[in-house]
Amino acid sequence: MEYSPRPDAGTAELRVFLLVGVPLVLAVVIGGSFLTARPTPRKPTNPVLGGHIDYTSQPEKAQAEVNRLALSSRGDFFRLSVDDRRWLDSMSAGHGAQLIARKMSDLKHSPVKRAAKKVSKGGSVKQAGS
């Protein structure tokens, strides 16, 4: 009996698996990971803020928003939407009604507001230092 250098069936199957099977499995795994990759989720919004300005990180913008809400509601807290009231209550520790009433009072009596009324009525406003 002569020895034949022909590989047996087990070695041939192993070679086919290593040459074809492993790259195929790797291609499926890598390709599948790209297909199922999801975009980075957006930063969740605080449900209390309801889309309003974050008053802790942007206090100047929040103050302008409070002024706008006070003027649009004419100082009446209950004319505001539920979201606006919730936002004001969250930033004032449950005292949103008092905040709006006081802000409206401050805006009515501010010198800028009085000067704007005089100018709109045809009066002149003297500039400081002129």
Side-chain angles (χ1 to χ4, degrees), residues 14 48 82 96 110 121 129:
L14 181 61
V48 174
V82 174
S110 72
K121 289 182 180 178

Side-chain angles (χ1 to χ4, degrees), residues 4 17 29 35 40 46 49 56 59 61 74 78 96 102 112 115 118-119 122-123 129:
S4 169
F17 176 73
V29 169
L35 293 176
T40 305
N46 187 339
L49 296 179
T56 58
K61 289 183 179 181
R74 292 184 229 132
F78 296 101
R102 182 162 182 172
V112 174
K118 286 181 183 177
V119 170

Side-chain angles (χ1 to χ4, degrees), residues 1-129:
M1 283 181 79
E2 275 186 40
Y3 175 73
S4 169
R6 199 172 110 201
D8 61 351
T11 308
E13 289 174 356
L14 181 61
R15 284 184 186 169
V16 169
F17 176 73
L18 290 175
L19 292 175
V20 176
V22 171
L24 183 63
V25 169
L26 287 175
V28 169
V29 169
I30 292 172
S33 67
F34 286 115
L35 293 176
T36 60
R38 293 186 179 90
T40 305
R42 292 177 51 199
K43 182 179 176 184
T45 58
N46 187 339
V48 174
L49 296 179
H52 283 283
I53 299 163
D54 183 7
Y55 49 85
T56 58
S57 64
Q58 299 173 327
E60 295 84 15
K61 289 183 179 181
Q63 184 177 6
E65 179 71 5
V66 170
N67 291 346
R68 186 190 67 75
L69 291 172
L71 290 172
S72 69
S73 69
R74 292 184 229 132
D76 186 1
F77 182 70
F78 296 101
R79 284 186 177 182
L80 298 170
S81 70
V82 174
D83 285 341
D84 292 338
R85 288 186 293 201
R86 185 178 301 129
W87 180 71
L88 287 166
D89 277 338
S90 71
M91 72 179 295
S92 64
H95 299 286
Q98 293 91 337
L99 173 67
I100 287 294
R102 182 162 182 172
K103 184 54 72 174
M104 188 62 195
S105 174
D106 291 347
L107 290 172
K108 279 183 182 177
H109 298 97
S110 72
V112 174
K113 180 90 171 179
R114 282 184 275 157
K117 280 185 181 179
K118 286 181 183 177
V119 170
S120 68
K121 289 182 180 178
S124 64
V125 177
K126 291 184 181 178
Q127 296 291 330

